[in-house]
Amino acid sequence: SSLPPSLPLFLSLFFFLSLPLSSLSFSLVKHFNLTRLGRSDLSGLGQLQTLHLGSNQISHIESGTFLYSSALTQLSLSENELTVLTKDMFDGLSSVNFLHLGINQIQFIPKDAFGPLTKLRELHLPNNNLNQISDIVNILVSCPMLQVLNLRKNHLISFESDRFPFPLNITDLDLGSNPLRKFTLHQNVFPHLKSLSLSPLRLDLEWDVSDDSFLQNLRTLDLSSTDFAFETYKLIFQSVASLEDLALRVVKTLLARGLLDFACKIPSLRKLDLRANALSVLSDSLLQQCSDVTHLDLSGNSLSVMSQSSLQTLRRLSWLNLNTNALTQVPVAVRNMSTLTFLSIAKNDLKKLECSDFLGLQRLTELILTNNRLTDLNSCVFQDLLNLKILYIDQNLLYTFDKQFSVTMRKLLVLNAKGTIGLLQKGVFQNMTHLRVLAVGKGAFIDDGAFEGLTDLRYLSYSPMFNTETGAGLESASGWRSLSQQFSNMPSLQILVITLPFSMCPVLPRDVLQGLNNLTSFSSSRFFCKPHPEMFLFAPRLLNLEITDNEQWQSPDPKILTPLRDLRKLDLSENHLQSLDLISEANLTKLERLILTNNELKIIDEHVFDSLPSLKYLDLSGNLFVCNCSNAGFIQWVLSNKQVYVARAFQYRCAYPLSHQGELLLSFNVRSCWESEGLICFVTSSFLVLVTLLSSFVYHFLRWQLVYGYFLFRARLYDRKKRREGSTHVYDAFVSYNVHDEEWVFHHLVPELEERQGWKLCLHHRDFEPGKAIIENITDAIYSSRKTLCVISAQYLQSEWCSREIQMASFRLLDEQKDVLVLLFLEELSSNQLSPFYRVRKMMRSHTYLSWTQARSHRGLFWERVRGALQSGNDPTNTLTANA
Ligand SMILES: *[C@@H]1O[C@H](CO)[C@@H](O)[C@H](O)[C@H]1NC(C)=O
Ligand SMILES: *[C@@H]1O[C@H](CO)[C@@H](O)[C@H](O)[C@H]1NC(C)=O
Ligand SMILES: *[C@@H]1O[C@H](CO)[C@@H](O)[C@H](O)[C@H]1NC(C)=O
Ligand SMILES: *[C@@H]1O[C@H](CO)[C@@H](O)[C@H](O)[C@H]1NC(C)=O
Ligand SMILES: *[C@@H]1O[C@H](CO)[C@@H](O)[C@H](O)[C@H]1NC(C)=O
Ligand SMILES: *[C@@H]1O[C@H](CO)[C@@H](O)[C@H](O)[C@H]1NC(C)=O
Ligand SMILES: *[C@@H]1O[C@H](CO)[C@@H](O)[C@H](O)[C@H]1NC(C)=O
Ligand SMILES: *[C@@H]1O[C@H](CO)[C@@H](O)[C@H](O)[C@H]1NC(C)=O
């Protein structure tokens, strides 16, 4: 009866349960080109320590956004569109010590905006529109502990000490690229200032420091790209008596006018940065006054000539950088500089080194000759370099080392010959037992025993091509085996980098990494083609693994990474990988960084990342993402997971289907996927609900019809069988009665009908076969009797059984078109009592019935009528004979 309201109830319940799921997934899409930050954006990120929100379009930060970010120590909001800082927008940032607000359009700083940032040490505000010193005062009054303040590229015109109320802790101040005209220091408000940058300032500056002791702690001063009057420089140099480090880049004309003669009079000056001054000739006079300078940087000029005594006065020089010039030979000027410990002549045009080039440099420990055009290296070049520890000769055109090299260089710790050297002969490093770091080769032919003697090597990077002894190429297992046997002499090796010069499909035997027990990092490029699936059994301690740029490693064995339990970082970029099976098969429970850029992954199953519980960083750039519902789970995961930083996720683009090609993966509308999924769910469950309701409806209202139908069907079969067997009814009549009327049945009905008239009756209590179901009992009884005699009384009608019996008999009556039912009323029943029994009333209307009360005085006639009723029936036209 409650059917109509229950269906909508079910449906609305279903809607209620399914809707929140789909709305949840999209509450986070606002991370696209973020324009504002609100309280909810950082909810659940209370543990966050570093937050970089740079390069968005944030113009508004709701007050209270950072209220629960008390763990945050570093915050960057650079490259956004902030114009105003409000009073309470930094509330809650009590632990931040680094704040970057550069490249915004901030014009004004209210008095208390920085109030909550009590721990701030470093503040970057470059590229904003600040133009009042009072804004800076407002910052520093709130953050007296501030040490580093970057104000480059603002609109400050003057910087005056009188505005600051008390001495500050600033150590580093950058005022470059402001239209600054005036720098005034009349109080000692920067007693700790160590580093000051005024680079670049293109206008002359009024430098007004009233006491030379105010800047007594200033050590570093950058005056690059300045164009002050000469007098201004003099004033500046006078007030910085403790200066050690002076940068004078891009001041070419000032140098020509003798600026260095003033600068080098600062007695404490030690480091001089003269980069990018377009010097082509270094004259004898330029550095004449700079005798105390120890560090000199002349890189990025176009020096091709250095006069022989140009460095002669620099008697304390220990560090000299001549990178990126146009030198064709090692300048004679460096010879005999017995104080020099570091010399770099990288990126020049050196073609040949003479044996005399480095004479007298006994203290030199580090020599950098990277990126020149050296073709030949005679060991005599290094004869005086008895203390050389670090030698860079990478990116040259050298073919091999001569026999003396390893003896001359036996104290070397680091040798970088990457991208040069084509042949490594046996024993080439044999006396270099101290060497810790070796990078060598550019597709080198390598002899057996080439790495002999390198017993202390920790880092090896090389680029093999062929094994010359065996003549075997890398494409055979024996070629590799003999090469890898050399690793057995490097028990300390921790980092191994193998880069093949081009793709050539080496066969890697099982024991490639044998003996490398201390290996923690293995990187390879173009090296994986036919690796043995168990090769990593020999490097179980690997923490870092890079297998990149392999053209022919199409379907890697998914089990290859399983021995690696400790891996923290895995880089599988540029490999044409199409599935992540090798990651899900492995047990990488400690993996923190996973890089899979430029593969051919189309659909990512986000459940792969469930097997990487320590993962923090994931990069999937440059894959062939399919933008359809198969990636919906992944997209959802990227947007909502709070553990893994998915690098550049907002730039991933769809490669398929063609209709979505080039669109952004994360803007794919996954909601439509949930909707159609939801619809299917909805339809199925509605269907189930309907079926359930229908079944209970049927069960409640039509159960008996069904049961009857079933028995009728059975009875028909049974009938047919019986008819075939020629059998007839067992009983003449089935007597249906209520227990209350039993006495009447046994005293009147049974004696009269069975004993006098001779009918064979089936009686409820007497003849029912034990063990059969009631309903079966009844059906059986009805069907094995020609007639059903119902003894009707008020109790009979109340009894469920009896009405079922009547129902069934009346179905049979209708079905078989014959009268099987004889109604015998034991008492008078009012129409009120009868009204619930629709069928009884219907039958009483259409058929005659017998009434015991009415026949009380004519018992004989009554029984005769019963006899008549029981007799009839073999003939369907014959209806009930009795008449009231
Ligand atoms: C952000 O906006 C820029 C410029 O409007 C647009 O080029 C870029 O595709 C946008 N990025 C995303 C992830 O929507
Ligand atoms: C400067 O920093 C020191 C600790 O580095 C601190 O003790 C001192 O109070 C600070 N000065 C000011 C003005 O805050
Ligand atoms: C270097 O010193 C040696 C002797 O100590 C001297 O003979 C030589 O001429 C000097 N070379 C240069 C270039 O000054
Ligand atoms: C160089 O090493 C070889 C082989 O270990 C050894 O015989 C030779 O004496 C060493 N030479 C020097 C100068 O140490
Ligand atoms: C591996 O390294 C440890 C310390 O880092 C060292 O004690 C041990 O000797 C090394 N093992 C081998 C085989 O060199
Ligand atoms: C994965 O490794 C952990 C410990 O590192 C271990 O407890 C677990 O049983 C391993 N699981 C499988 C499938 O090997
Ligand atoms: C998505 O596209 C891939 C490849 O084109 C296809 O295999 C997959 O069945 C698609 N998924 C759905 C949900 O359409
Ligand atoms: C079938 O009828 C007999 C006789 O009345 C009875 O004993 C038996 O319990 C009935 N069967 C069932 C399942 O009630």
Side-chain angles (χ1 to χ4, degrees):
S1 61
S2 64
L3 176 71
S6 72
L7 182 65
L9 183 76
F10 259 101
L11 299 189
S12 55
L13 192 68
F14 181 79
F15 269 116
F16 175 76
L17 289 175
S18 64
L19 269 184
L21 280 178
S22 47
S23 51
L24 182 77
S25 54
F26 272 80
S27 60
L28 291 162
V29 174
K30 54 185 170 232
H31 282 226
F32 271 100
N33 278 334
L34 211 61
T35 56
R36 49 188 297 132
L37 276 186
R39 282 161 183 256
S40 59
D41 291 321
L42 300 179
S43 67
L45 298 172
Q47 304 297 310
L48 205 63
Q49 294 183 355
T50 303
L51 177 59
H52 196 307
L53 290 165
S55 308
N56 272 290
Q57 293 160 12
I58 300 169
S59 57
H60 181 77
I61 298 181
E62 203 176 282
S63 63
T65 295
F66 298 109
L67 264 183
Y68 304 103
S69 303
S70 54
L72 210 58
T73 58
Q74 303 206 357
L75 172 63
S76 172
L77 288 161
S78 60
E79 292 186 63
N80 278 290
E81 288 168 12
L82 294 170
T83 49
V84 205
L85 301 185
T86 58
K87 227 177 89 197
D88 42 10
M89 89 183 210
F90 293 132
D91 280 357
L93 293 176
S94 54
S95 302
V96 165
N97 56 46
F98 174 98
L99 176 61
H100 203 311
L101 292 169
I103 319 189
N104 279 283
Q105 288 135 37
I106 302 167
Q107 289 184 357
F108 167 68
I109 293 180
K111 219 173 170 49
D112 298 320
F114 282 73
L117 298 159
T118 50
K119 295 239 174 81
L120 199 63
R121 288 282 191 278
E122 197 168 335
L123 174 62
H124 293 263
L125 276 163
N127 290 54
N128 278 290
N129 298 334
L130 296 172
N131 52 29
Q132 295 293 324
I133 192 72
S134 58
D135 295 322
I136 317 303
V137 172
N138 285 344
I139 296 171
L140 288 167
V141 167
S142 298
C143 310
M145 311 279 268
L146 198 67
Q147 292 179 329
V148 177
L149 178 59
N150 179 349
L151 296 168
R152 289 178 77 79
K153 279 206 175 186
N154 277 282
H155 302 316
L156 297 170
I157 292 172
S158 70
F159 196 88
E160 294 143 322
S161 64
D162 344 6
R163 309 293 297 275
F164 297 96
F166 48 75
L168 296 158
N169 260 359
I170 295 288
T171 58
D172 292 68
L173 179 62
D174 190 342
L175 295 170
S177 236
N178 277 285
L180 202 65
R181 303 301 308 263
K182 197 168 180 185
F183 183 88
T184 314
L185 212 53
H186 287 166
Q187 278 98 25
N188 195 7
V189 287
F190 299 121
H192 304 288
L193 193 66
K194 272 178 146 162
S195 168
L196 174 65
S197 173
L198 299 172
S199 162
L201 291 184
R202 281 296 166 198
L203 302 167
D204 192 20
L205 182 70
E206 186 187 335
W207 180 267
D208 180 7
V209 177
S210 62
D211 189 323
D212 287 353
S213 69
F214 290 167
L215 294 174
Q216 64 177 352
N217 282 314
L218 195 74
R219 298 284 184 269
T220 303
L221 176 62
D222 191 348
L223 295 175
S224 305
S225 301
T226 51
D227 199 6
F228 306 151
F230 234 73
E231 287 308 307
T232 309
Y233 288 108
K234 282 187 187 171
L235 284 175
I236 295 175
F237 295 149
Q238 276 164 18
S239 54
V240 292
S242 307
L243 195 71
E244 291 177 353
D245 185 349
L246 176 62
L248 286 169
R249 301 186 295 267
V250 201
V251 288
K252 182 182 179 193
T253 52
L254 291 163
L255 289 185
R257 290 165 55 200
L259 184 64
L260 283 182
D261 295 343
F262 295 104
C264 288
K265 282 193 179 129
I266 304 170
S268 51
L269 193 66
R270 295 290 175 270
K271 298 186 181 177
L272 197 51
D273 177 355
L274 299 175
R275 281 182 273 171
N277 277 309
L279 301 168
S280 55
V281 178
L282 193 66
S283 66
D284 282 350
S285 59
L286 189 74
L287 295 161
Q288 212 166 20
Q289 302 296 320
C290 303
S291 55
D292 287 334
V293 166
T294 58
H295 282 60
L296 177 61
D297 194 341
L298 285 166
S299 60
N301 283 288
S302 15
L303 289 174
S304 55
V305 179
M306 285 172 70
S307 85
Q308 195 167 339
S309 37
S310 57
L311 302 175
Q312 207 169 25
T313 49
L314 289 78
R315 299 195 184 285
R316 303 171 69 178
L317 197 67
S318 74
W319 193 94
L320 176 60
N321 187 349
L322 297 170
N323 282 0
T324 322
N325 278 294
L327 298 168
T328 53
Q329 49 188 322
V330 178
V332 178
V334 304
R335 236 175 267 176
N336 281 358
M337 293 196 78
S338 57
T339 49
L340 213 56
T341 59
F342 172 95
L343 173 61
S344 176
I345 318 179
K347 284 200 173 182
N348 276 277
D349 265 337
L350 305 180
K351 293 191 178 71
K352 194 167 184 334
L353 297 180
E354 303 294 340
C355 292
S356 56
D357 277 349
F358 301 115
L359 279 181
L361 300 180
Q362 285 88 351
R363 294 239 205 126
L364 201 69
T365 55
E366 189 167 354
L367 176 61
I368 315 287
L369 297 168
T370 300
N371 207 337
N372 278 286
R373 296 207 233 157
L374 300 172
T375 51
D376 186 27
L377 199 61
N378 188 331
S379 290
C380 68
V381 169
F382 306 111
Q383 59 190 333
D384 265 10
L385 305 181
L386 301 176
N387 283 301
L388 200 66
K389 301 274 188 292
I390 300 173
L391 174 62
Y392 277 56
I393 46 168
D394 51 313
Q395 315 300 333
N396 277 288
L397 306 167
L398 300 170
Y399 181 65
T400 188
F401 297 111
D402 66 15
K403 293 244 186 295
Q404 279 303 301
F405 185 75
S406 84
V407 176
T408 318
M409 291 285 143
R410 62 187 174 279
K411 288 193 177 164
L412 213 58
L413 298 180
V414 175
L415 173 60
N416 184 351
K418 222 175 141 85
T420 186
I421 303 291
L423 173 66
L424 288 174
Q425 288 156 311
K426 180 177 162 65
V428 64
F429 303 118
Q430 64 178 346
N431 296 77
M432 299 168 75
T433 47
H434 300 288
L435 203 66
R436 296 281 181 94
V437 175
L438 173 62
V440 70
K442 174 196 184 182
F445 292 86
I446 299 177
D447 288 358
D448 279 352
F451 296 127
E452 265 171 20
L454 297 173
T455 46
D456 208 15
L457 203 65
R458 310 289 162 89
Y459 174 102
L460 173 63
S461 165
Y462 76 128
S463 175
M465 201 156 74
F466 275 107
N467 179 326
T468 44
E469 297 288 295
T470 60
L474 306 182
E475 268 127 339
S476 75
S478 63
W480 257 104
R481 184 161 290 115
S482 61
L483 271 190
S484 57
Q485 269 163 7
Q486 307 176 10
F487 295 145
S488 54
N489 300 323
M490 300 180 197
S492 316
L493 200 66
Q494 292 168 352
I495 302 175
L496 175 61
V497 181
I498 298 180
T499 311
L500 295 199
F502 48 83
S503 193
M504 54 191 171
C505 203
V507 176
L508 307 182
R510 184 166 179 270
D511 50 4
V512 184
L513 301 175
Q514 191 166 27
L516 297 177
N517 297 330
N518 272 0
L519 199 68
T520 53
S521 174
F522 176 52
S523 309
S524 70
S525 202
R526 292 186 283 270
F527 188 56
F528 275 65
C529 176
K530 292 178 185 160
H532 192 284
E534 288 174 357
M535 63 176 276
F536 287 117
L537 281 176
F538 291 98
R541 296 208 205 150
L542 272 188
L543 300 178
N544 174 35
L545 175 61
E546 296 172 17
I547 303 176
T548 59
D549 201 6
N550 296 297
E551 292 268 320
Q552 301 175 64
W553 193 43
Q554 308 285 16
S555 41
D557 188 310
K559 296 253 187 282
I560 191 164
L561 301 180
T562 48
L564 303 173
R565 296 285 167 84
D566 285 341
L567 219 54
R568 307 292 153 98
K569 182 181 169 214
L570 176 61
D571 183 348
L572 295 173
S573 49
E574 326 246 351
N575 279 326
H576 303 275
L577 291 181
Q578 295 178 0
S579 98
L580 292 180
D581 289 350
L582 80 172
I583 288 164
S584 49
E585 287 285 325
N587 191 0
L588 302 173
T589 50
K590 295 180 182 162
L591 196 71
E592 292 173 3
R593 288 174 76 86
L594 176 58
I595 296 158
L596 290 162
T597 51
N598 299 324
N599 278 293
E600 291 170 9
L601 299 167
K602 291 181 177 165
I603 290 167
I604 313 284
D605 177 3
E606 72 281 11
H607 296 109
V608 170
F609 308 119
D610 295 346
S611 65
L612 306 174
S614 308
L615 195 66
K616 294 191 176 74
Y617 180 96
L618 171 68
D619 194 343
L620 284 160
S621 311
N623 279 287
L624 305 176
F625 295 106
V626 177
C627 290
N628 68 14
C629 291
S630 298
N631 264 330
F634 171 64
I635 294 172
Q636 172 105 355
W637 178 84
V638 170
L639 292 169
S640 60
N641 98 81
K642 288 186 170 154
Q643 183 189 325
V644 183
Y645 172 68
V646 186
R648 291 179 277 275
F650 287 102
Q651 286 151 34
Y652 297 172
R653 293 194 183 266
C654 317
Y656 304 102
L658 293 181
S659 57
H660 287 277
Q661 198 170 43
E663 289 173 17
L664 293 167
L665 175 71
L666 294 191
S667 47
F668 175 70
N669 181 8
V670 286
R671 175 179 253 169
S672 63
C673 303
W674 307 141
E675 271 167 5
S676 62
E677 204 163 276
L679 191 69
I680 292 167
C681 262
F682 171 72
V683 168
T684 358
S685 46
S686 316
F687 179 74
L688 284 177
V689 167
L690 276 177
V691 165
T692 313
L693 289 174
L694 207 67
S695 330
S696 53
F697 176 83
V698 164
Y699 181 76
H700 267 285
F701 298 96
L702 299 169
R703 175 168 45 151
W704 291 106
Q705 277 85 337
L706 286 176
V707 170
Y708 174 74
Y710 165 67
F711 283 107
L712 189 66
F713 174 71
R714 272 186 45 169
R716 286 235 165 108
L717 291 178
Y718 181 82
D719 252 9
R720 207 175 295 161
K721 196 171 130 207
K722 282 283 147 80
R723 218 173 290 146
R724 247 186 279 121
E725 287 168 3
S727 73
T728 52
H729 296 295
V730 178
Y731 302 105
D732 291 308
F734 165 65
V735 184
S736 168
Y737 62 93
N738 187 270
V739 229
H740 282 90
D741 307 320
E742 197 165 17
E743 205 196 318
W744 183 84
V745 171
F746 282 92
H747 278 99
H748 295 95
L749 186 116
V750 174
E752 173 66 30
L753 295 185
E754 279 205 330
E755 286 158 29
R756 289 200 47 226
Q757 297 188 11
W759 301 113
K760 195 169 178 224
L761 298 181
C762 170
L763 288 178
H764 209 233
H765 287 266
R766 195 184 63 187
D767 301 308
F768 273 11
E769 224 177 281
K772 284 192 183 174
I774 294 174
I775 183 72
E776 228 172 300
N777 265 355
I778 295 171
T779 329
D780 271 4
I782 292 175
Y783 276 87
S784 45
S785 312
R786 278 198 297 108
K787 297 276 175 177
T788 297
L789 189 67
C790 296
V791 181
I792 297 177
S793 63
Q795 255 110 13
Y796 180 87
L797 290 179
Q798 300 306 319
S799 147
E800 223 185 293
W801 282 35
C802 299
S803 59
R804 300 282 172 248
E805 289 154 19
I806 293 190
Q807 274 186 10
M808 228 169 285
S810 64
F811 288 141
R812 188 181 169 199
L813 190 76
L814 296 171
D815 263 16
E816 299 186 356
Q817 293 294 309
K818 46 186 181 186
D819 268 323
V820 291
L821 203 61
V822 178
L823 303 181
L824 203 155
F825 281 79
L826 262 194
E827 52 191 350
E828 285 302 321
L829 295 172
S830 68
S831 50
N832 252 1
Q833 279 169 302
L834 276 175
S835 64
F837 305 99
Y838 166 76
R839 279 180 189 279
V840 177
R841 278 190 298 135
K842 195 175 162 204
M843 276 184 292
M844 284 172 69
R845 234 178 284 128
S846 57
H847 302 288
T848 34
Y849 55 90
L850 299 150
S851 172
W852 175 249
T853 42
Q854 284 174 15
R856 221 170 265 274
S857 43
H858 317 283
R859 295 278 156 86
L861 183 61
F862 175 83
W863 292 122
E864 278 314 306
R865 282 187 181 163
V866 176
R867 178 207 295 273
L870 291 180
Q871 249 165 10
S872 75
N874 290 333
D875 172 11
T877 56
N878 207 353
T879 55
L880 279 176
T881 49
N883 208 333

